[in-house]
Every structure is written in structure tokens, then in C-alpha cells.
């Protein structure tokens, strides 16, 4: 496992694992149900399985589409990237959650719809951040210096894009991942409640509706820890992707 990934995971322990453990402990001590702690652990697992694949797939797809919109804006992939970059403000999370609820009531499966509803905002944000960054990497300004140098050395165009331009497009996406994580967690809480998914967010909403602070507060604390863990994973992936953290040896070819 790469060292930056290990370092950020270790750094995430006090800010992520401890709040989750505190939430589970509070559930065991204060919740009226005897199995409340185990139920919260299962709910956290459901929330993690709902948010993590959605964030990963949505961010990866949006980054590639946004970058391709700068490389070939009139191609099908470029048009898709431009569509994602412009559709973000038009697709708020509550609207996607409402559409997913209507689809489930019409007979659709809730889990794939939940993944899709959370992945779309992440993809839109990634495309919106990646497209201008890729434009700058390919442009005449100082940020395009590495690309111009690689082309001057006679490297293959695909290698130039992959090793020099794409990392510059990925960097702002990963730096903005914290906002995507927060949006995904808020969306997951809404979706779990609307789609009757057994996640920690749905447990918190149900307890709050019943006026049970003993049920809502532990879930809220644990969800805060899960949010911190996902944000730390994003930082770890960002440092892993950053070519400066791999080697000081100059790149010699594809």
C-alpha cells in the first residue's frame, strides 16, 4: 500500500474512528434497545456501502469526462463532460432523492437508485473542476509548462495526457472532495429515510421524529466520524495520485 495512503489513514484514526466508537458507546449506554450498539454498527456499514462506491464512481467518471471535455470538446465524451459540468446546479440532491423515491414506488430497486442519486452530484462537481484545470494544463500559461516540455521531448501524446496533463486535472477534484463527501452524507441520510434503507442516517431521522435524543445523538456522532473517514480517504487518494509523491526520478516514457 502506498505510503501517503497509509499516512493519511493513520492520521484519520483519532478524527474518524474515535467519533464512531463514541457514537456506538453512547448507543450502548443510553439507547433503550439492548442491541442499539450493534444496530448502529450495521447502519454505519450500510451508509458506508451506499456512499463510498457512489463517491468513487461518480468522482472518477466526472473527472475523466471533464478532462475529455477540454481535450476533445465536440466528441461524445467531451459533450458528456460539458453536460455534467453544467448540470450540477440543475440537479440538487433533494430533487434526485425525490425522483429516486418515485422510481422505487414504481417498482425499481432502491439500492442501485441510491448509488446513482449520490454518484450524479459527485460526477457533476468533478467534471466542473476538472475541465478548467485540464484547459490550463494544455494551455499556453505556466501551468501548461510540463505538457509543453513533454511534447518537446517527443513523448507519445497519450503518455503526455496521462502522465502530465491528467494529474493537473485530478488535483482540484481531489481538493474539492470534502464538499462532495459532505453532500454525499447529507444525501445518504435523506435517501435512507425516503427509501427505507437500514442505514445510520435513517436511524437518526427515525429517532429524531420519535423525539428520542438517546437514539439520534449517537447516530449523529457516528456519522460525523464516518464523514471524517471518507474525507481522509479522499486526501490519501489525492496524495497517492500526485506524481510528486511517487518518485523524484524524471519520467522517461510511457
Amino acid at each position: 500500500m502506498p505510503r501517503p495512503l497509509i499516512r493519511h489513514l493513520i492520521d484519520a484514526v483519532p478524527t474518524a474512528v474515535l467519533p464512531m466508537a463514541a457514537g456506538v458507546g453512547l448507543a450502548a449506554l443510553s439507547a433503550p434497545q439492548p442491541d442499539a450498539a450493534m444496530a448502529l454498527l450495521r447502519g454505519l456499514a450500510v451508509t458506508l456501502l451506499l456512499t463510498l462506491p457512489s463517491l468513487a464512481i461518480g468522482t472518477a467518471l466526472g473527472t475523466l469526462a471533464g478532462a475529455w471535455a477540454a481535450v476533445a470538446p465536440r466528441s461524445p465524451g467531451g459533450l458528456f463532460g460539458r453536460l455534467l459540468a453544467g448540470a450540477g446546479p440543475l440537479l440538487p440532491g433533494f430533487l434526485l432523492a425525490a425522483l429516486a423515491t418515485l422510481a422505487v414506488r414504481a417498482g425499481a430497486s432502491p439500492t442501485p437508485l441510491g448509488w446513482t442519486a449520490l454518484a450524479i452530484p459527485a460526477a457533476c462537481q468533478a467534471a466542473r473542476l476538472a475541465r478548467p484545470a485540464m484547459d490550463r494544463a494544455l494551455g499556453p500559461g505556466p501551468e501548461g509548462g510540463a505538457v509543453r516540455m513533454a511534447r518537446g521531448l517527443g513523448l507519445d501524446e497519450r503518455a503526455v495526457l496521462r502522465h502530465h496533463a491528467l494529474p493537473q486535472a485530478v488535483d482540484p477534484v481531489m481538493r474539492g472532495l470534502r464538499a462532495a463527501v459532505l453532500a454525499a452524507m447529507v444525501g445518504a441520510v435523506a435517501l435512507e429515510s425516503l427509501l427505507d434503507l437500514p442505514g445510520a442516517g435513517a436511524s437518526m431521522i427515525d429517532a429524531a421524529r420519535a423525539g428520542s435524543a438517546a437514539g439520534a445523538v449517537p447516530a449523529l456522532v457516528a456519522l460525523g466520524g464516518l464523514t471524517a473517514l471518507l474525507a481522509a480517504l479522499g486526501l490519501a487518494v489525492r496524495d497517492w495520485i500526485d506524481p510528486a509523491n511517487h518518485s523524484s526520478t524524471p519520467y522517461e516514457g510511457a
Side-chain angles (χ1 to χ4, degrees):
M1 185 179 291
R3 288 183 180 180
L5 187 60
I6 297 174
R7 185 176 67 250
H8 277 294
L9 289 178
I10 293 174
D11 292 341
V13 169
T15 57
V17 176
L18 291 182
M20 286 190 284
V24 173
L26 283 173
L29 293 174
S30 60
Q33 298 85 0
D35 61 340
M38 289 303 300
L40 181 55
L41 280 174
R42 291 192 295 269
L44 286 172
V46 171
T47 303
L48 179 63
L49 291 175
L50 181 62
T51 53
L52 184 57
S54 304
L55 280 169
I57 295 172
T59 300
L61 179 62
T63 302
L64 293 175
W68 198 248
V71 175
R74 297 187 181 278
S75 67
L79 292 174
F80 179 61
R82 292 164 63 186
L83 175 64
L84 283 179
L90 303 176
L91 294 173
F94 69 87
L95 176 60
L96 294 173
L99 292 176
T101 303
L102 291 175
V104 169
R105 290 178 179 176
S109 177
T111 302
L113 279 174
W115 282 330
T116 303
L118 294 180
I120 290 175
C124 291
Q125 174 177 304
R128 180 174 56 84
L129 294 174
R131 183 186 176 190
M134 193 68 164
D135 275 330
R136 292 191 296 268
L138 298 174
E143 292 179 321
V147 172
R148 291 195 299 273
M149 182 179 294
R151 285 170 172 166
L153 292 173
L155 298 182
D156 179 78
E157 185 67 18
R158 288 178 297 179
V160 171
L161 292 175
R162 185 169 64 250
H163 293 283
H164 297 281
L166 187 58
Q168 295 187 56
V170 171
D171 183 68
V173 174
M174 302 311 296
R175 291 183 185 277
L177 192 60
R178 182 169 297 181
V181 169
L182 290 174
M185 291 302 298
V186 172
V189 171
L191 283 167
E192 287 171 2
S193 180
L194 290 172
L195 302 182
D196 294 326
L197 297 174
S203 299
M204 181 184 70
I205 296 298
D206 291 343
R209 286 173 176 170
S212 173
V217 172
L220 178 62
V221 173
L223 285 171
L226 183 59
T227 303
L229 178 62
L230 290 173
L233 284 173
L235 290 175
V237 173
R238 184 197 70 189
D239 284 359
W240 179 32
I241 292 173
D242 189 349
N245 293 325
H246 290 287
S247 174
S248 59
T249 303
Y251 175 67
E252 296 179 354

